[in-house]
Amino acid sequence: SSFACNINFGGTNDGYATQYLGLYEHQGIDANGVVYFKHATMEYYMYLEDDGEWWYVGPTLGDASGPWSAAAVTNSPTDVLMWDVLNGKSTGDWVEQPGVAVEGVIANSAYPALCW
């Protein structure tokens, strides 16, 4: 995949599920016609769920679950307004992480349209 289509997932956070943060490599377009990504060193994925309402980051591509989620704004994770993470407690509460974002690896540039 083109390096320009890779993304960084990170930022200031509360320390939950931080192993999912890092560089994600563009994998192409899924069966729903939406871009998806795989962590550069781990078996984690970032993808838009089938109904197009939520972005998830988790170990199983396509599952409507994972330790990170965000309401979809568009078909690009760079447009997400707020990521939430599970706090790891038995109650499984979601915690907003305003410091976490997805950005293209090329600094100060919009996510390129060629990635769709």
Side-chain angles (χ1 to χ4, degrees):
S1 66
S2 171
F3 176 78
C5 295
N6 294 343
I7 55 174
N8 287 310
F9 179 48
T12 305
N13 62 80
D14 291 334
Y16 303 117
T18 56
Q19 69 271 27
Y20 289 88
L21 302 175
L23 175 67
Y24 279 76
E25 297 173 335
H26 181 267
Q27 299 296 300
I29 305 297
D30 68 14
N32 296 318
V34 179
V35 66
Y36 72 101
F37 307 86
K38 183 178 177 293
H39 194 281
T41 60
M42 307 290 281
E43 291 294 316
Y44 303 144
Y45 298 90
M46 180 181 293
Y47 52 91
L48 192 62
E49 70 167 329
D50 286 350
D51 68 10
E53 293 185 12
W54 292 93
W55 280 96
Y56 283 103
V57 177
T60 306
L61 181 63
D63 258 9
S65 65
W68 288 89
S69 71
V73 176
T74 67
N75 283 353
S76 172
T78 60
D79 294 331
V80 163
L81 301 176
M82 177 71 71
W83 285 93
D84 297 310
V85 66
L86 286 172
N87 65 4
K89 298 180 180 172
S90 60
T91 54
D93 296 324
W94 290 100
V95 181
E96 289 185 346
Q97 300 294 288
V100 172
V102 172
E103 298 177 336
V105 293
I106 299 174
N108 301 317
S109 67
Y111 193 69
L114 63 88
C115 300
W116 313 116

